[in-house]
Amino acid sequence: MRSNQPSFFYSTARSVASTFPENHLTFLLRKCISLIQLCASSHFKLKQIHGFSIRHGVPPHNPDMGKHLIFALVSLSAPMPYATRIFRLIRAPNIFTWNTMIRGFAESENPRPAVELYCQMHASSVLPDTHTFPFLLKAAAKLMDVRVGEEIHSIVVRNGFGSLLFVQNSLVHMYSVFGFAESAYQVFEFMLERDLVAWNSVINGFALNGMANEALTLFREMGLDGVEPDGFTMVSLLSACVELGAMALGERVHVYMLKVGLVHNPHASNALLDLYSKCGNIRDALKVFDEMEERSVVSWTSLIVGLAVNGLGNEALELFGELERKGLKPSEITFVGVLYACSHCGMVEEGFDYFRRMKDEYGILPRIEHHGCIVDLLCRAGKVGDAYEYIRNISIPPNAVIWRTLLGACTIHGHLELGEVARAEVLRLEPKHSGDYVLLSNLYASERRWLDVQNVRRTMLMKGVRKTPGYSLVELKNRVYEFIMGDRSHPQSEETYAMLGKITELLKIEGYVPRTVNVLADIEEEEKETALSHHTEKVAIAFMLVNTPQRTPIRIMKNLRVCADCHLAIKLISKVFEREIIVRDRSRFHHFKDSSCSCRDYW
């Protein structure tokens, strides 16, 4: 542990050693502990102090020395093996030391030993205290181990710690991370005292788990309870607005952020940028980006992806070039955004060039997401055979998403034999994903193989696989309305379907002919036309035409890919009714205006 350079530690240690007799270990121990507290910002100095204490007679198993040294190492986020070696030397560690070790592992990349340590602590008859369970629950949340989390919850209750604020906050966070938003809310409901952390945790739990309306309702209750939100609240709230496609509500959140000064919070600003990008409002996304005081790589990446999914691939790549010129290092996720831009704009050669640069210039090893982008790039360009060869040659085992991308391309481009290969691989990896059965059924239907279509649907019934229903969402007067095909329960159904009939008549005057080839079912032509006219995005547009002033934009969010017939029809609707219509489907935005679309019919 010698060093050629002068060190604060050595000069201090020599001074200490010269001021006390060699046998005064208590004095030495006290001085070493003072040095630990003084040098707690340097992992190297802590090791020096530890070595000095042992050489001058402090036993390596001394509990006071070990306790302070472990606490300093954990506070410094030092690697846990060194702290573990010290811990194992202590003959009878107290609860503080056990808790510190549990905390260290809970905050590390490998939280599993935190649970194992608690079991050892219990076997050693050391009773937990108020600090034990928040760290333990944090470890369970990071592990995403529901069984362990529920077991810890039961231990918390049995030990009488269930009413403690920090423990309750940890429980709310854990259940939110597990995806059990209702369980998180149940814990929240029983809390006698609710601080900002508790409100943020439960709101975020709802937002993360697709319960955006519940998140927004809870935010209103939070205001009535007199709790002031912070940047993390805004992030959750804006995420909920994104989930619903509720841009007007998101704009109100933006106004609130301006009012209370939260626009300067970098996390909240990034969430705001994400909101406008994912609601198809690139103009305001760019404005937020330009006004940001601090632009991280996350900010640049969010805007790059936002431009890409809104059909502005060239602008996305220009922004990436600006990022490089500013000397910022793009991340793995940045390159996912760049490859996404190439994929959705048909830039095959550019996509492969960026993929090469990612590896050669930035030393980023391709992850499955990057390979997925390349497969998607080839599939969208119609190079289905090349995509299959690429999948066969990638070094990482392809996942179900990659094979599903190939299966979808086979359906669009009519590669039946290759589609069956892709379906077999998807079936092996994710046997109960409804979308794969639908893709294969559509592939058979496009070849008019109706018996095979029936066999696929029969298999779905036998295995209990249900098709995900399509839906479209629109926002009107601070409410979000959902439309499902065939559902006439809405109070304005009569006016909406009357408008739908009017739309069909006006479109036919413009030369619109329904693309019944898109209805992959063995039914009569007239039934196919009716089925097409009742697609959820068309119903949503009719509803908005009834309820909004002329020439105002219409924004729609849907969960499935927009079909070719709807794409053609909406282009004509934008011309006939003089409306800009923005549709966000499951993979990108379509900005329809004056009979054209921002995707240039490439999606």
Side-chain angles (χ1 to χ4, degrees):
M1 294 199 181
R2 298 285 182 185
S3 173
N4 293 325
Q5 296 180 348
S7 99
F8 160 80
F9 165 71
Y10 277 119
S11 61
T12 307
R14 280 196 294 269
S15 170
V16 169
S18 64
T19 60
F20 59 88
E22 191 174 339
N23 61 342
H24 288 182
L25 292 181
T26 303
F27 184 75
L28 174 65
L29 179 62
R30 191 164 63 247
K31 288 295 182 180
C32 286
I33 290 172
S34 296
L35 284 173
I36 288 171
Q37 294 169 340
L38 197 60
C39 302
S41 61
S42 169
H43 184 201
F44 177 68
K45 286 179 181 178
L46 290 174
K47 282 189 170 184
Q48 285 184 313
I49 296 167
H50 189 202
F52 174 85
S53 69
I54 293 172
R55 285 199 305 275
H56 286 79
V58 177
H61 57 266
N62 183 279
D64 285 334
M65 184 70 184
K67 175 181 75 173
H68 286 89
L69 195 54
I70 290 171
F71 180 78
L73 289 165
V74 168
S75 300
L76 197 59
S77 300
M80 287 304 293
Y82 184 44
T84 302
R85 287 196 295 272
I86 298 169
F87 179 76
R88 286 174 180 165
L89 292 171
I90 302 173
R91 289 177 182 172
N94 61 15
I95 185 59
F96 177 86
T97 309
W98 283 101
N99 285 345
T100 304
M101 288 296 295
I102 291 171
R103 170 195 162 193
F105 280 113
E107 293 175 348
S108 71
E109 293 182 1
N110 177 26
R112 178 66 65 180
V115 180
E116 296 167 359
L117 271 171
Y118 174 77
C119 295
Q120 293 172 26
M121 185 181 100
H122 181 69
S124 301
S125 300
V126 178
L127 295 176
D129 68 4
T130 56
H131 298 285
T132 307
F133 292 109
F135 298 136
L136 205 53
L137 290 165
K138 183 175 184 177
K142 286 184 73 174
L143 286 168
M144 289 294 290
D145 193 322
V146 176
R147 183 184 62 81
V148 167
E150 289 176 338
E151 285 180 3
I152 296 169
H153 190 176
S154 66
I155 294 168
V156 165
V157 174
R158 286 201 304 271
N159 282 271
F161 293 112
S163 60
L164 294 177
L165 178 63
F166 292 153
V167 174
Q168 291 172 325
N169 282 345
S170 299
L171 284 167
V172 171
H173 170 73
M174 182 187 74
Y175 283 121
S176 297
V177 170
F178 287 165
F180 299 164
E182 293 89 348
S183 297
Y185 184 67
Q186 283 179 358
V187 175
F188 178 79
E189 268 196 311
F190 284 105
M191 294 176 70
L192 297 177
E193 179 187 353
R194 298 168 179 171
D195 63 3
L196 180 58
V197 174
W199 285 98
N200 281 349
S201 295
V202 74
I203 289 172
N204 190 49
F206 282 136
L208 286 175
N209 293 290
M211 302 173 73
N213 280 319
E214 289 83 349
L216 296 168
T217 300
L218 208 58
F219 175 70
R220 285 193 288 271
E221 290 179 17
M222 176 181 170
L224 294 173
D225 213 39
V227 180
E228 289 291 326
D230 65 359
F232 292 107
T233 320
M234 294 299 106
V235 170
S236 299
L237 208 56
L238 291 167
S239 298
C241 293
V242 169
E243 178 74 24
L244 290 170
M247 195 185 77
L249 193 55
E251 288 174 333
R252 289 176 62 192
V253 175
H254 189 180
V255 170
Y256 178 84
M257 288 169 62
L258 287 165
K259 182 180 176 181
V260 299
L262 283 171
V263 285
H264 304 300
N265 181 292
H267 298 294
S269 293
N270 283 334
L272 196 58
L273 174 59
D274 191 54
L275 167 83
Y276 286 123
S277 295
K278 289 183 177 177
C279 286
N281 189 343
I282 284 296
R283 179 177 58 82
D284 282 346
L286 286 165
K287 185 178 178 182
V288 170
F289 183 79
D290 290 338
E291 292 174 353
M292 290 176 75
E293 294 178 356
E294 179 186 340
R295 297 176 192 163
S296 64
V297 173
V298 173
S299 313
W300 289 84
T301 300
S302 295
L303 189 54
I304 287 168
V305 173
L307 289 165
V309 298
N310 281 278
L312 301 168
N314 287 319
E315 290 83 348
L317 299 180
E318 287 173 11
L319 190 67
F320 178 75
E322 188 178 341
L323 178 151
E324 290 185 302
R325 286 190 293 275
K326 288 189 176 293
L328 294 172
K329 184 179 180 182
S331 66
E332 297 171 343
I333 301 172
T334 311
F335 274 102
V336 170
V338 168
L339 294 173
Y340 194 94
C342 295
S343 172
H344 281 71
C345 295
M347 303 176 181
V348 178
E349 291 182 10
E350 293 89 339
F352 275 94
D353 185 54
Y354 281 113
F355 187 75
R356 176 193 58 76
R357 288 185 57 203
M358 178 185 76
K359 295 183 294 182
D360 297 346
E361 294 181 23
Y362 292 100
I364 297 175
L365 291 175
R367 293 169 52 178
I368 196 70
E369 294 87 352
H370 302 110
H371 290 301
C373 285
I374 294 295
V375 171
D376 188 54
L377 176 70
L378 292 168
C379 286
R380 288 179 184 275
K383 299 177 181 290
V384 181
D386 291 344
Y388 176 61
E389 287 303 315
Y390 182 87
I391 293 171
R392 290 181 61 191
N393 293 313
I394 59 177
S395 55
I396 306 173
N399 61 11
V401 175
I402 286 180
W403 285 111
R404 191 172 296 123
T405 301
L406 183 66
L407 177 57
C410 291
T411 303
I412 294 168
H413 299 288
H415 291 262
L416 181 60
E417 187 176 339
L418 198 52
E420 289 177 333
V421 172
R423 172 64 188 125
E425 291 294 334
V426 173
L427 185 63
R428 179 177 62 83
L429 294 166
E430 287 185 12
K432 288 198 172 183
H433 192 283
S434 64
D436 305 323
Y437 289 92
V438 173
L439 285 171
L440 188 62
S441 173
N442 290 350
L443 182 57
Y444 286 137
S446 66
E447 298 286 325
R448 309 189 74 79
R449 290 171 53 173
W450 304 117
L451 183 60
D452 288 325
V453 170
Q454 292 301 321
N455 288 335
V456 170
R457 293 178 179 176
R458 192 177 298 113
T459 303
M460 289 178 70
L461 287 171
M462 288 173 56
K463 294 188 176 182
V465 179
R466 293 188 176 184
K467 179 183 175 182
T468 303
Y471 64 78
S472 291
L473 303 175
V474 292
E475 183 185 18
L476 179 67
K477 297 177 182 177
N478 295 323
R479 283 190 61 188
V480 175
Y481 295 87
E482 181 179 24
F483 295 92
I484 300 172
M485 191 167 176
D487 179 18
R488 291 176 178 259
S489 61
H490 191 277
Q492 284 188 281
S493 281
E494 189 174 332
E495 301 100 303
T496 299
Y497 280 90
M499 174 59 75
L500 200 57
K502 180 181 176 182
I503 289 171
T504 303
E505 291 174 11
L506 291 173
L507 292 191
K508 286 184 177 179
I509 294 171
E510 287 290 321
Y512 164 70
V513 178
R515 294 193 176 185
T516 53
V517 69
N518 294 121
V519 182
L520 301 176
D522 190 14
I523 56 177
E524 296 297 324
E525 197 71 15
E526 186 177 340
E527 291 178 272
K528 290 185 177 183
E529 289 190 17
T530 303
L532 284 174
S533 70
H534 289 182
H535 277 193
T536 61
E537 53 267 57
K538 290 176 183 169
V539 179
I541 289 170
F543 171 78
M544 293 299 279
L545 287 173
V546 169
N547 289 284
T548 57
Q550 292 182 1
R551 294 185 174 83
T552 55
I554 295 172
R555 298 179 186 277
I556 298 170
M557 189 186 83
K558 63 184 273 91
N559 65 327
L560 302 177
R561 185 178 184 270
V562 65
C563 75
D565 179 77
C566 285
H567 196 268
L568 171 63
I570 298 171
K571 283 200 295 185
L572 292 173
I573 292 170
S574 71
K575 176 186 175 184
V576 171
F577 290 89
E578 297 181 351
R579 297 284 192 114
E580 181 184 3
I581 303 172
I582 301 104
V583 178
R584 171 180 141 198
D585 70 8
R586 71 180 180 191
S587 62
R588 68 170 299 149
F589 280 93
H590 299 267
H591 293 255
F592 298 94
K593 191 174 182 180
D594 298 329
S595 196
S596 65
C597 179
S598 59
C599 75
R600 298 184 292 277
D601 296 338
Y602 183 88
W603 82 100

